[in-house]
Amino acid sequence: MEYINKPRILCALVIFLAIFVLISCEQPERQDTNEAPEERVPHPTLGPTVAPAPETEDGEDAPPRLAVGIVVDQMAYDFLDRFRDKYGEDGFKRLAGDGFIFRNARFNYVPTTTCPGHASIYTGTTPSVHGIIGNDWFVRVPENDETYCARDLTAGLVGGGAGEDEKSGQLSPRNLLTASVTDELRLATGKNSKVIGVALKDRAAIMPAGHLGNAAYWLDDESGVWVTSTYYYRDMQMPGGAKPELPAWVTDFNEKYSAEKYLNMPGIDGVWNTLGDVSTYSESLPDDNVYEKSIRGRDEETGEYRKPVFPYVLKDVLEENKEETKGQYGRLIKVTPFGNSITKDFALAAVRGEGLGKDGVTDFLAVSFSSTDIIGHYYGPRSVEVEDAYLRIDLDIADLLNALDSEVGEDNYLVFLTADHGVGDSPLFLGDMGIPSGYFMEDDRVLAGLNGHLGKVFGRGGSKFALAYSNQQAYLDRDLITSKLRLSLENVEKEAASYLMTLDGVADVVTASELDSADFTTGARQLVGNGYNRKRSGDVIVIMEPSWIEYKERFGKKGTTHGAPYDYDTHVPLIFYGRNIKKGESMRPVFITDIAPTVSALLKIPYPNGATGNPLSELFNRQD
């Protein structure tokens, strides 16, 4: 056994403890100053702060200072390729060439329309979860009438013309049942981030800004200026009951660039003409064709639509088509590409006026370009007017990106670009080309025929079995059927479906009972299921044949629309560009509901609370 010298060990231990005590008791020298120890102070906010703002993260993987969502309304994927040779280098080509493009991105639900589209992009889920099942939908109780997706009777208008009815501003995101990625950003930063939504259409600004957005702005029809809703002032204490006012930068913009002033600016001069010679628009049908509805309206003497040809002298359009423009420049600018241009300019005014991307907390600008959709409805996707609108929005996007380079810094912002839906060809055009297509009857005719059939089958002639037909969905009177007539709701649904299947243009009919009891995993029925919300959707849902659209008296058989479960309405562009985005492309099938979780991951914040999509893994693979 080895000998141990205990006295030496004890001596060493005493010396070690003495040194340790001296080090522990030593205090660092403090400068002779009156300054308090450093503290983290949260940034000031417009609303209540729920947590201090996080410190700025440094390094290559730090989140961007500004996230920018760009939605081009009614942009089918095809438009990226069809007009590619005519696009400049700094717009769509810059995004696709220097960013990451997903070439097989689709909507995974129906209906493919504006309000559900924007809600799905920003929540990362489908209408079955977020509840925005259409631009409008029928509400049984208490309204027994249709409601608008952004309707909020507790809100009022902020801004607009003198004496304008505040009810026109009864709008907010309250009908949205889930959080958006912009909501999650506000929560993650203790409400220190700023979130601004901008679009000509109110719903396209409101849904992206989410429940916690600082503001959503849209262009008012009557006054032709940018307005918002009192919803965004709910956390502010207004002295003496004073009415909310627009921020100074919005007021300044409105004074300089009302819709009327904008359309008469040098370079526009009150005329919409093609950027180049009309003969060079070879990707489109001839300018004068029978498939287009002119923004000039109908000739009062003949009742025929005026020719849909360039150039459009806008003051003449305002006078000729009072039925639709109502003599308002706010309406007129929306049916021209200059609606997109004023949106771009206002969005940049928001960047400067709100100081977006200027501090260490990520901000979010959600921009939707609406004029492409409105022009597309009038003229169809093969028109010179639509081609011109895309050549011009390419320039607008280039301006936006160049300005962001200057205002925020080229590597300090993140952009995604997509669409809220695609668009189908004019059925009249397809029919002339020999492709099956058609026009389904108007809603009131469907409803009358359905009620007549159900009354006859169940021996209750005159009874109103169906209360409404909206969004290609029949809403049955459940109380009448089950409580008063003591019939099986499921049996009535089946009979309604059988009748609707007999109508021309109907490919399939799905009942609520089927959707409640089965999980469809393929085809159009899967998309119907993803768009079905048990509390808000109808009882019997119609799926039309490809290239059939609902007939609308306002349009007749001119122009076109969207909303179907087929490729032309579901396949849209999806591009990510900017900070921490490598160049690349993928043909992997992805869904629009993947956008919000992807943005959340890039911003390093939680996914939206109802998200069903997944982050796009290609963007997180750092290997070259």
Side-chain angles (χ1 to χ4, degrees):
M1 178 179 293
E2 192 174 341
Y3 176 77
I4 299 175
N5 191 330
K6 292 182 179 181
R8 289 183 179 180
I9 292 175
L10 289 173
C11 182
L13 181 60
V14 169
I15 293 171
F16 174 79
L17 289 174
I19 294 172
F20 178 79
V21 170
L22 287 172
I23 293 174
S24 301
C25 295
E26 184 177 351
Q27 295 294 324
E29 185 176 342
R30 176 174 291 178
Q31 298 291 328
D32 185 15
T33 176
N34 293 324
E35 291 181 0
E38 182 181 356
E39 292 182 353
R40 296 179 185 175
V41 181
H43 291 218
T45 66
L46 293 176
T49 300
V50 297
E55 283 192 60
T56 304
E57 183 181 345
D58 296 321
E60 183 178 337
D61 292 332
R65 292 182 186 175
L66 178 64
V68 181
I70 301 175
V71 178
V72 182
D73 204 324
Q74 203 186 105
M75 185 175 185
Y77 178 84
D78 171 56
F79 293 146
L80 270 183
D81 293 332
R82 191 192 302 181
F83 308 132
R84 177 177 174 78
D85 290 343
K86 293 181 178 176
Y87 289 144
E89 297 300 319
D90 298 327
F92 290 122
K93 284 185 179 179
R94 176 179 172 182
L95 292 175
D98 294 336
F100 198 103
I101 181 169
F102 292 88
R103 298 189 179 276
N104 196 12
R106 298 171 187 275
F107 283 86
N108 55 345
Y109 66 86
V110 285
T112 40
T113 52
T114 296
C115 208
H118 285 80
S120 298
I121 290 166
Y122 282 87
T123 64
T125 192
T126 60
S128 62
V129 179
H130 63 59
I132 304 298
I133 63 169
N135 291 337
D136 307 271
W137 60 85
F138 184 77
V139 179
R140 290 183 171 88
V141 178
E143 288 90 344
N144 194 36
D145 199 359
E146 283 206 343
T147 191
Y148 180 55
C149 63
R151 181 65 59 215
D152 180 358
L153 299 181
T154 68
L157 183 68
V158 178
E164 191 167 350
D165 189 354
E166 286 191 10
K167 290 182 179 179
S168 63
Q170 290 182 329
L171 301 163
S172 86
R174 293 189 195 276
N175 288 327
L176 185 66
L177 301 179
T178 64
S180 64
V181 62
T182 51
D183 288 328
E184 295 295 348
L185 177 62
R186 290 274 284 157
L187 291 173
T189 62
K191 293 178 113 175
N192 286 282
S193 60
K194 287 187 177 181
V195 170
I196 306 292
V198 174
L200 295 178
K201 296 180 181 179
D202 51 63
R203 58 186 178 272
I206 290 170
M207 295 300 155
H211 299 279
L212 301 179
N214 296 84
Y217 298 104
W218 56 92
L219 195 75
D220 181 55
D221 288 342
E222 184 175 333
S223 62
V225 298
W226 295 89
V227 298
T228 189
S229 158
T230 56
Y231 172 86
Y232 300 99
Y233 295 75
R234 64 197 183 281
D235 293 332
M236 296 184 184
Q237 297 296 325
M238 304 305 296
K243 292 184 178 180
E245 295 181 353
L246 293 169
W249 68 265
V250 179
T251 301
D252 290 345
F253 188 95
N254 285 338
E255 289 176 353
K256 294 176 183 177
Y257 305 112
S258 67
E260 181 176 4
K261 290 178 181 178
Y262 199 92
L263 288 175
N264 288 288
M265 285 171 47
I268 300 176
D269 300 309
V271 179
W272 175 20
N273 208 346
T274 52
L275 273 174
D277 191 285
V278 71
S279 64
T280 66
Y281 283 59
S282 54
E283 289 76 20
S284 304
L285 294 172
D287 190 26
D288 187 8
N289 65 72
V290 299
Y291 310 116
E292 302 173 3
K293 178 186 175 183
S294 175
I295 62 171
R296 290 191 172 97
R298 296 178 187 269
D299 185 284
E300 293 179 359
E301 294 183 2
T302 65
E304 297 294 324
Y305 282 105
R306 295 179 175 90
K307 285 186 175 295
V309 296
F310 286 98
Y312 295 94
V313 179
L314 299 177
K315 64 179 179 60
D316 292 344
V317 173
L318 201 68
E319 182 65 28
E320 291 169 340
N321 193 9
K322 285 187 176 180
E323 179 183 357
E324 292 179 311
T325 67
K326 302 186 186 304
Q328 298 169 350
Y329 277 94
R331 291 178 183 268
L332 176 63
I333 197 171
K334 295 177 182 180
V335 297
T336 75
F338 310 119
N340 290 331
S341 299
I342 196 173
T343 300
K344 174 260 300 180
D345 287 337
F346 185 78
L348 289 175
V351 171
R352 298 173 184 123
E354 296 289 345
L356 301 183
K358 295 297 187 183
D359 59 17
V361 182
T362 301
D363 298 319
F364 206 117
L365 175 66
V367 185
S368 184
F369 292 104
S370 305
S371 285
T372 42
D373 176 79
I374 301 169
I375 295 167
H377 277 291
Y378 273 84
Y379 292 95
R382 299 187 187 275
S383 64
V384 173
E385 286 79 2
V386 163
E387 181 174 347
D388 193 66
Y390 277 92
L391 299 185
R392 289 179 182 274
I393 197 175
D394 179 58
L395 299 177
D396 289 326
I397 291 172
D399 287 346
L400 179 62
L401 295 176
N402 290 334
L404 291 174
D405 291 343
S406 300
E407 297 289 336
V408 184
E410 190 169 353
D411 192 44
N412 290 327
Y413 63 90
L414 167 73
V415 172
F416 72 81
L417 180 144
T418 190
D420 55 346
H421 52 74
V423 63
D425 270 305
S426 159
L428 186 62
F429 164 73
L430 291 178
D432 286 348
M433 296 296 104
I435 296 175
S437 57
Y439 296 87
F440 192 59
M441 66 180 69
E442 289 191 281
D443 292 356
D444 57 350
R445 288 186 57 201
V446 178
L447 184 63
L450 178 59
N451 274 321
H453 175 79
L454 294 176
K456 183 183 297 184
V457 169
F458 293 103
R460 296 291 192 278
S463 295
K464 194 174 182 180
F465 283 79
L467 297 171
Y469 184 80
S470 173
N471 290 321
Q472 298 166 32
Q473 301 176 29
Y475 287 77
L476 301 180
D477 189 335
R478 297 170 181 172
D479 182 61
L480 171 71
I481 292 167
T482 59
S483 300
K484 297 177 181 178
L485 302 181
R486 298 189 178 280
L487 297 172
S488 163
L489 181 60
E490 184 175 356
N491 288 343
V492 176
E493 287 176 358
K494 288 180 179 178
E495 188 57 45
S498 296
Y499 166 76
L500 292 168
M501 277 298 301
T502 67
L503 303 180
D504 290 342
V506 175
D508 194 8
V509 182
V510 190
T511 68
S513 296
E514 290 177 299
L515 292 170
D516 288 341
S517 60
D519 184 15
F520 300 106
T521 57
T522 60
R525 285 195 168 204
Q526 181 186 29
L527 274 66
V528 169
N530 288 339
Y532 171 75
N533 183 278
R534 291 191 68 177
K535 288 187 174 181
R536 293 180 175 178
S537 295
D539 302 285
V540 187
I541 302 169
V542 172
I543 303 169
M544 289 191 288
E545 298 280 3
S547 297
W548 277 71
I549 66 175
E550 291 179 304
Y551 180 87
K552 300 292 183 185
E553 184 177 357
R554 176 189 166 201
F555 277 83
K557 292 186 177 182
K558 293 181 181 291
T560 190
T561 193
H562 48 81
Y566 304 112
D567 181 85
Y568 51 82
D569 278 347
T570 61
H571 186 193
V572 295
L574 177 56
I575 306 172
F576 284 82
Y577 170 89
R579 184 165 183 80
N580 294 329
I581 303 298
K582 64 179 182 179
K583 296 181 184 180
E585 63 177 72
S586 173
M587 283 297 295
R588 180 173 69 91
V590 300
F591 296 120
I592 291 302
T593 50
D594 296 329
I595 294 175
T598 301
V599 174
S600 293
L602 290 168
L603 300 186
K604 302 185 178 181
I605 60 174
Y607 303 166
N609 61 8
T612 53
N614 296 290
L616 296 165
S617 58
E618 291 88 340
L619 300 184
F620 301 92
N621 180 2
R622 300 302 183 193
Q623 296 179 358
D624 294 329

